[in-house]
Amino acid sequence: RMAPKALKDFTGQEHLVGPGKMLRRLVESGRLSSALFYGPPGTGKTAMARLVAGLSKATTVELNAVVAGVAELKKVLETAKFDRAAKGQRTLLLLDEIHHFNRTQQDTLLPAVERGEVILVGLTTENPSFYVNAALLSRFTAFEFKPLGPEALSGLLDRALAARQRGLGEACAD
């Protein structure tokens, strides 16, 4: 419930979303192309991906590579291709745990990413150089998410405790 709804609400990762930083500029301008968010768990990769999706005008599809197969992936890509051609509607595919896809599964994504039929945002806790094939990796802009420091964690807790509607503010006011 405390997930950020705007870039100003995003905590940490100043090297990516601070004033004038690349990811911030891409999101604010609506020009984010396929991207890879990687780093340790709990650093905000999924929160940022969902924030990007919420701010985009694209149809958003979320898949987890642990459970998604090639058939499901092909269906999403076919729909994205149709929507782009028939309606001019872009599709943003959030693919969590992309490192779980094998080479064949990753290769399935390549043509749609190359043709711009889908904007792919891959999320992984692993080093993409070892787990994402080179052809797909070369079509991404990679963003490394770093562990949150004490100040960022403290700020998150303070905001959760104070927020009346989405946080614990009502419960703590008693």
Side-chain angles (χ1 to χ4, degrees):
R1 7 184 253 222
M2 289 297 300
K5 303 286 186 209
L7 279 173
K8 67 179 176 55
D9 299 330
F10 196 83
T11 302
Q13 309 309 331
E14 288 298 313
H15 66 289
L16 299 176
V17 295
K21 299 300 182 182
M22 185 174 173
L23 183 55
R24 179 182 207 99
R25 290 191 329 259
L26 290 170
V27 171
E28 288 177 337
S29 69
R31 295 179 46 211
L32 183 70
S33 58
S34 292
L36 182 68
F37 298 167
Y38 70 99
T43 56
K45 297 178 301 292
T46 303
M48 178 56 72
R50 289 181 176 151
L51 176 60
V52 166
L55 295 174
S56 78
K57 292 179 174 84
T59 299
T60 302
V61 177
E62 270 191 69
L63 292 178
N64 187 304
V66 173
V67 294
V70 172
E72 184 178 4
L73 187 57
K74 284 183 177 181
K75 184 177 178 184
V76 168
L77 297 176
E78 286 291 323
T79 302
K81 181 179 181 178
F82 174 81
D83 288 350
R84 181 87 166 137
K87 306 175 198 173
Q89 179 65 37
R90 307 229 24 215
T91 299
L92 178 66
L93 173 58
L94 303 181
L95 185 54
D96 201 7
E97 308 289 344
I98 192 171
H99 62 275
H100 281 280
F101 268 4
N102 64 34
R103 182 174 180 84
T104 302
Q105 290 167 310
Q106 289 182 31
D107 284 344
T108 302
L109 293 162
L110 196 56
V113 171
E114 284 178 333
R115 291 189 299 256
E117 294 166 355
V118 69
I119 302 165
L120 175 61
V121 176
L123 309 164
T124 181
T125 55
E126 302 297 332
N127 182 333
S129 298
F130 297 114
Y131 291 93
V132 178
N133 76 42
L136 189 56
L137 192 57
S138 72
R139 272 96 177 151
F140 281 132
T141 302
F143 296 97
E144 181 180 9
F145 283 63
K146 298 183 179 178
L148 298 178
E151 283 183 32
L153 291 172
S154 177
L156 281 171
L157 289 173
D158 289 345
R159 199 166 74 219
L161 291 171
R164 291 198 174 274
Q165 289 183 344
R166 295 185 339 181
L168 299 171
E170 285 294 323
C172 293
D174 296 336

